């Protein structure tokens, strides 16, 4: 049975939806934002229902999510592959009812502008030429710049929502070296300018958002300013170091691999219990054997929890027609070492 969380914690890690976000106090004076008019939380689920209800957060993760919510600061989540860094975002938005997670996957080619908004001038030019031809022929046709502007995940998260949206900035350690510092300015200001609107005589337009859960939103004076600072969850596999200025403006948490067989078993039960089902909610012997094998092999090289889930799922079905020796071999093949190295202990 899960112990009750302290009353100050808005996010409980219970996986049960509630209205606790309304208990969040006013932000610190230096993190107050005044964008408007306020927008309601968009309808819909988290965008990944399985991850939202199967993720089991640890005490550190729960505390640091709450710290990020209270302080209106980004949360930098580090850890080995498969520790649930991305799943945390879906779990939080599911429990707190914050709408669909805004997902921004990062590569070395991604720029700050990609996260804020996209403008399609070429399509607008073609449309203007068609409209000009229609007017020459006596028919209507106007130019709406909002048809060619779409906010990105970051740009959408910074809209003036009454409740914070959840933004998942996935694998920020893969970014260009300048992106973390570029993000600092946006996170401090809580606002950004849409240059193509600001240049117009009437810098107001209704533009599309990154998700499909809301109608177009009106941007006034070419500027977007948040109201409730979003819960920004940035994941990192630890492949690079970040500048001190970036780190001191983030709340950080390092997710650890499960420490023992019991914790791994609980994770497997959450994900695959209904599939491989044993008696009284217990996992069948075959699944427990693969968990033991995973834990044994993990001491010889890097493995991820999702590899264990894949192995149990595959071996559960293979066991109906394969010899036990072949099933154990299949488990090892589905769980290759991610580091490319293994000690002799694994070959024994």
């Amino acid at each position: 049975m899960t112990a009750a969380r302290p009353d100050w914690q808005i996010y409980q890690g219970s996986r049960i939806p509630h209205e606790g976000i309304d208990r969040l106090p006013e932000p610190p004076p230096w993190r107050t934002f005044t964008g408007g008019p306020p927008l309601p939380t968009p309808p819909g689920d988290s965008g990944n229902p399985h991850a939202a209800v199967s993720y089991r957060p640890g005490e550190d993760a729960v505390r640091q999510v709450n710290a990020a919510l209270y302080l209106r600061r980004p949360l930098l989540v580090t850890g080995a592959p498969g520790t649930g860094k991305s799943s945390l975002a879906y779990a939080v938005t599911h429990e707190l009812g914050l709408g669909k997670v805004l997902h921004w996957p990062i590569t070395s080619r991604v720029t700050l502008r990609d996260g804020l908004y996209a403008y399609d001038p070429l399509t607008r030019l073609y449309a203007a030429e068609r409209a000009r031809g229609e007017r020459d022929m006596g028919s209507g046709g106007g130019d709406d710049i909002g048809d060619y502007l779409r906010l990105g995940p970051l740009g959408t998260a910074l809209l003036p929502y009454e409740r914070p949206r959840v933004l998942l900035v996935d694998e920020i350690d893969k970014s260009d070296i300048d992106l973390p510092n570029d993000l600092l300015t946006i996170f401090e200001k809580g606002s950004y300018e849409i240059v193509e609107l600001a240049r117009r005589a009437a810098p107001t337009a209704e533009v599309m958002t990154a998700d499909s859960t809301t109608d177009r939103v009106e941007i006034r004076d070419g500027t977007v300013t948040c109201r409730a600072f979003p819960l920004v969850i940035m994941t990192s596999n630890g492949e690079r170091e970040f500048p001190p200025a970036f780190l001191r403006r983030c709340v950080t948490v390092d997710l650890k691999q499960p420490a023992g067989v019991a914790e791994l078993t609980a994770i497997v039960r959450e994900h695959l219990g209904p599939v491989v089902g044993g008696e009284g909610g217990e996992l069948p012997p075959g699944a427990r054997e693969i968990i033991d094998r995973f834990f044994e092999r993990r001491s010889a090289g890097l493995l991820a929890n999702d590899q264990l889930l894949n192995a149990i799922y595959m071996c559960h079905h293979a066991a109906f027609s394969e010899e036990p020796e072949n099933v154990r071999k299949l488990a090892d093949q589905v769980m290759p070492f991610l580091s490319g190295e293994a000690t002799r202990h694994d070959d024994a």
Side-chain angles (χ1 to χ4, degrees), residues 137-208:
M137 296 174 63
S139 59
D143 178 32
D144 183 0
I145 192 173
D147 290 338
Y148 315 101
L149 279 167
R150 186 183 187 92
L151 302 185
L154 174 59
T156 300
L158 289 170
L159 287 169
Y161 290 106
E162 292 178 309
R163 292 176 165 183
R165 294 294 302 271
V166 176
L167 171 66
L168 173 59
V169 184
D170 218 357
E171 299 192 325
I172 191 171
D173 50 339
K174 289 183 167 54
S175 71
D176 176 85
I177 193 171
D178 293 326
L179 183 60
N181 284 328
D182 292 341
L183 285 171
L184 279 184
T185 302
I186 297 296
F187 291 157
E188 289 302 299
K189 293 172 55 180
S191 68
Y192 64 95
E193 182 182 68
I194 298 179
V195 177
E196 290 77 10
L197 285 182
R199 290 172 177 167
R200 303 174 78 225
T204 299
E206 292 188 347
V207 305
M208 297 174 283

Side-chain angles (χ1 to χ4, degrees), residues 12 29 72 74 108 113 126 143 158 175 193 221 236 239 246 254-255 259 265 271 275 285 297:
Q12 300 281 309
R72 277 67 170 183
S108 60
R113 169 69 177 264
Y126 291 153
D143 178 32
L158 289 170
S175 71
E193 182 182 68
D221 301 321
S236 169
E239 296 178 2
F246 179 79
D254 185 35
L255 301 186
T265 301
H271 286 272
V275 177
R297 294 182 77 237

Side-chain angles (χ1 to χ4, degrees), residues 48-91:
N48 189 338
H50 177 75
V53 300
S54 62
Y55 180 68
R56 298 167 58 88
E59 293 287 342
D60 285 348
V62 172
R63 279 195 296 268
Q64 295 304 79
V65 166
N66 281 285
L69 285 169
Y70 272 77
L71 298 174
R72 277 67 170 183
R73 289 292 184 184
L75 178 65
L76 178 62
V77 185
T78 58
T83 49
K85 299 185 295 295
S86 299
S87 296
L88 178 60
Y90 295 98

